[in-house]
Amino acid sequence: MKSKTAKESYMVMNELVLPNDTNTFNNLMGGRLLYWMDICSAMAAQKHANSPVVTVSVDNVSFKRSIKLGEVLTIEAQVTRAFNTSLEVRMEVFAQNLPLGTKVKSNEAYYTFVAVDEHTQPQPIPELIPETEKEHKLYDEALQRRELRLILAGKIKPQHATGIKKLLKMLEQKD
Ligand SMILES: CC(=O)SCCNC(=O)CCNC(=O)[C@H](O)C(C)(C)COP(=O)(O)OP(=O)(O)OC[C@H]1O[C@@H](n2cnc3c(N)ncnc32)[C@H](O)[C@@H]1OP(=O)(O)O
C-alpha cells in the first residue's frame, strides 16, 4: 500500500451560520459545530484511507470563542497520523466576519476514524508521511493521544502505553 503525505488529506469546509443553527444568544450551537466537524474530518480521513470510514472517538474539542449568527465558519482538517486501521484527524475552526474582513480561531479538536469495508470490518490503511516540522510534532504526539484514548476506552492497559511512559520520563528529567 502506497504511503501518503499528511498534506494530501487536507480538507476545508465553509458554512454560513444561519438562524436555524444558533441558540437564543444568536451563537452557533455546539452540537451543530460537532456535526460539521464530523463531516469535514471524515472527508479528510476518507481521502487518506481511500475507503469509507466511521468515527470511533471525538476528543479534545475546545470552545475558545462563540461563533455568531451571520459569521462564516471555516473548518480545516488534516490527518496527523495513520496507525493500522485507524487514523487521527486534527481540525482547526475559524470564524470569519466577511464584511469586516476578520478571521478568528475558535476551536480545535481531534477526531479518530476507522477505515471499514462493506461489512464495517476494520481495514488496513496507508502509512502517513509527515513533512513539515509542525506535521512531525503532531505525528509524534499522536501516539500519546492514541494511547490515552485507548486506556480510557479500556482497550489497553496503562503499562503498555510506551509513548505516554516516554513522555512522563522526559518531563521528570526536565524537573
Ligand atoms: C462518520 C460517522 O459519523 S460514522 C457513525 C458513527 N460511528 C460509528 O457508528 C462507529 C461504531 N463503531 C464500530 O463500528 C466499531 O467500534 C469499529 C468498526 C469502529 C471498531 O470496531 P472494533 O471491534 O472496536 O475494532 P478493533 O478493536 O479491532 O479496533 C479497530 C481500530 O479502532 C481503534 N479503536 C477502537 N476503539 C477506539 C477508541 N475508543 N478510540 C480510538 N481508537 C479506537 C483501535 O485501536 C483499532 O485501530 P488500529 O487498527 O489502528 O490499531
Side-chain angles (χ1 to χ4, degrees):
M1 205 178 296
K2 193 174 167 283
S3 337
K4 295 168 85 173
T5 63
K7 198 166 49 250
E8 282 178 86
S9 65
Y10 177 79
M11 283 299 296
V12 61
M13 191 168 121
N14 291 302
E15 292 285 341
L16 175 64
V17 178
L18 294 169
N20 215 21
D21 305 317
T22 59
N23 61 18
T24 49
F25 299 103
N26 283 339
N27 294 328
L28 175 66
M29 283 185 289
R32 187 62 56 98
L33 175 63
L34 297 179
Y35 166 73
W36 284 334
M37 288 168 88
D38 193 31
I39 294 175
C40 186
S41 53
M43 291 191 292
Q46 284 191 26
K47 231 175 143 188
H48 179 82
N50 291 126
S51 90
V53 296
V54 291
T55 317
V56 72
S57 175
V58 169
D59 41 25
N60 295 51
V61 184
S62 64
F63 290 83
K64 292 191 178 89
R65 170 199 184 276
S66 55
I67 300 166
K68 314 262 178 271
L69 176 66
E71 288 186 329
V72 171
L73 179 82
T74 301
I75 306 173
E76 294 182 15
Q78 188 166 299
V79 177
T80 58
R81 186 162 178 164
F83 296 96
N84 304 309
T85 64
S86 67
L87 53 78
E88 182 193 70
V89 179
R90 175 174 184 264
M91 273 173 286
E92 287 187 312
V93 182
F94 301 90
Q96 295 194 64
N97 182 317
L98 296 183
L100 293 178
T102 58
K103 184 177 179 183
V104 183
K105 186 164 155 182
S106 58
N107 311 77
E108 246 181 57
Y110 293 93
Y111 281 33
T112 306
F113 294 87
V114 176
V116 291
D117 64 12
E118 64 272 28
H119 308 294
T120 64
Q121 288 307 301
Q123 290 299 301
I125 52 175
E127 190 189 347
L128 180 127
I129 312 289
E131 292 177 310
T132 65
E133 199 179 317
K134 186 178 173 187
E135 286 169 2
H136 274 282
K137 187 169 184 292
L138 289 167
Y139 179 94
D140 291 341
E141 293 167 352
L143 178 64
Q144 290 139 21
R145 286 189 295 272
R146 166 187 161 91
E147 288 177 347
L148 200 53
R149 256 174 231 130
L150 294 177
I151 290 171
L152 294 174
K155 294 251 170 186
I156 63 165
K157 298 227 176 324
Q159 57 267 36
H160 297 137
T162 52
I164 293 180
K165 276 194 203 163
K166 202 170 145 192
L167 174 71
L168 291 175
K169 210 169 183 179
M170 266 168 53
L171 292 174
E172 270 171 22
Q173 282 165 357
K174 267 191 184 170
D175 284 345

